[in-house]
Amino acid sequence: MSLYAEFLTRIEQKFPEDGAEMAMSEYIVANTHLRKRPFSFEGYEFQRQIVDDLSLNMAVIKCSQVGLSEVQIRKFLSFLKRTSSINGIFSLPNDDMYKRVSQTRIKPLVDDEQIFNQHEASKKPVRSMALYQIDDSFGFITGGKEGDATSINADIMFNDEVDLTDQEILALYGSRLQGSNIKMRQGFSTPTFEGYGIDSMYKASDQHEYLCRCTRCNHWNLPVFTPRFIRIPGLPGDLNDLSEIDNDLAVKLDLENSFVMCEHCGAPLDLGNRPLREWVPRHPGRLSRGYWVRPFATPRLSVRYIVEQLLDYKRKNSLRRWYNTVLGEPYNDANARLTLTEIEAVMKGEGKPDVSSETPVAIGVDVGQTCHVVVASLGLPIPLVFDWLQVPADQLKMTLWDLRKRYNLVAGGMDLNPYAPLAREIHASSKGVIVPIEYSTSPKAAPLTFVKDELDNVTHVSSNRTKIIDDIVGDIRHRRVLFTGYGNKKVIIQTHLQDMVRIELPEQPAKWNKLTGDDHFFHALGYMRHSLRIHEVMRAQEVKDERQMALLFGLVSAVQQNEAGLGFRERIKTPSVLGLG
Ligand SMILES: [Zn+2]
């Protein structure tokens, strides 16, 4: 018997009267209440399948106002009740949300529902804001802290608001299921960026969409907020993007008589008619399960509501939030990610220019199994990146040696990790020109710190990761760097430069997050740029040291010269003159 079947049997054994035949949704209706009346899925029938779905790996994209947070909690608690001796984790992104959800949503449900209070009178269950015992099962509610993600072992895990949660913490949570026979993980979230968090999990899944059949022509529709599906009397025929509706246009619209229509024949869709609606997977064979809950999954959210929200979010200058929360769609705003237009603007041709052996150049290296190397000429007012190399790690030393032979290499930066010994070797053999750089992600990380060994030699530089990436992004946006010589690598470079998004969450430092991890030239460019800064700081330090030396040397010679009857002023120049000679 598979572990999963065994788990289903455990449900059956514990509650033979409901057992595997009683779907979770029916169990919730039969045993829980909302505002003193039995819980009902009326108007939100799409929720049933999500609640009943016991997939071990599931991702749900949700918009707001569709009641999903409410049913997730009921599903979680009912699980604990229906399965003997299991541990569950319900995670929220931060302390505030954790406290609010635990106190205002979970506690009342656990306290008030009879079904969660069938313990023997003498055995008082353990209950607190962070932990709810139901019979012999335990539900841990957490706020996305590292400690929680590494200390509690669990059988089932619900991650709420995946996209607002620190993605590294989220990865840590995964390991909490390792010791379990069940290992169920279900994530729910409002989407944020395309390819990020819940959106990428959904994309990897079988991708269920909630369709609606047209009663007139039988066409199956996936209704979304576009002119194909939305009929608004008074709307100009040439408006293709409904997000362009503004206050001036809105007053001309007859929102009262607007409706969602069949894209095929234009008949109004009967969104609340249950037999017409069905969850349909785009990729039925895939192992992980995905659901995308959009506003027209329920008949309760009108076109008027969506338009009013649009105007409201526009007033707050937050179109992205409207896409994310009201439509439940990911949205890439220009500030969070480099746009193709911004990248194209610095791409000046695939051909390689002639760069003489005297022209100063700088390099940046992203180290991996395949290393990505960028070479920039510094002979112009702004750096011109003219060579883009992808070399296997075992050929990196040779490649860098060739570059040093061919060009006047004055600066370079490379990953200290993952091969620190290689980075140190290159640092030494380049006589300190190519500096190993370690990204620091601590909130208080300095822009640039020289790390020294016990003999006071610089071993590497530790630098604020967000700042390094912000700087290269700023350079690209303001065209303070140009690209050429990329040959057929144009698309690769564009892909890499679009693979990170800048995430800004309340009470957390801004952070660039990878979408797919295909971002190597991005980091190579960042290291190249940062190496210029490192050498600038080192030169400033040298000049300072030289001045001190000069002063010292000057004073010494001034004293000697004074003794010989010559002026102080003239003599102080001597050391630098000597230095040139
Ligand atoms: Zn139709």
Side-chain angles (χ1 to χ4, degrees), residues 33 52 54 172 275 342 397 414 471 516 529:
H33 300 75
D52 290 341
L54 304 183
L172 283 177
E342 286 167 333
K397 269 196 294 185
M414 72 182 288
D471 285 346
T516 68
R529 188 204 187 277

Side-chain angles (χ1 to χ4, degrees), residues 79 129 138 157-158 161 179 202 274 344 352 384 395 397 453 519 548 561:
F79 242 116
M129 192 151 68
F138 292 89
M157 166 134 33
F158 281 22
E161 294 304 353
Y202 177 82
R274 197 179 165 197
E344 292 269 3
K352 231 169 243 126
L384 173 74
Q395 289 171 29
K397 269 196 294 185
D453 64 12
D519 55 2
Q548 268 167 0
Q561 296 305 326

Side-chain angles (χ1 to χ4, degrees), residues 214-219 221 262-267 269:
C214 172
T215 46
R216 191 201 280 173
C217 76
N218 284 327
H219 176 71
N221 292 272
C262 170
E263 64 175 332
H264 191 247
C265 74
L269 292 175

Side-chain angles (χ1 to χ4, degrees), residues 457-508:
N457 297 313
V458 171
T459 58
H460 64 277
V461 163
S462 167
S463 299
N464 185 305
R465 182 178 182 274
T466 302
K467 173 93 170 61
I468 291 182
I469 301 170
D470 277 350
D471 285 346
I472 187 66
V473 166
D475 279 1
I476 292 169
R477 285 206 172 122
H478 298 102
R479 302 181 202 177
R480 289 189 299 247
V481 61
L482 296 174
F483 302 164
T484 184
Y486 34 82
N488 57 9
K489 296 195 190 87
K490 184 173 181 179
V491 176
I492 298 175
I493 295 165
Q494 289 174 340
T495 305
H496 288 193
L497 287 175
Q498 287 205 288
D499 197 57
M500 279 197 285
V501 286
R502 195 176 198 277
I503 308 290
E504 292 171 35
L505 299 176
E507 292 158 49
Q508 286 179 41

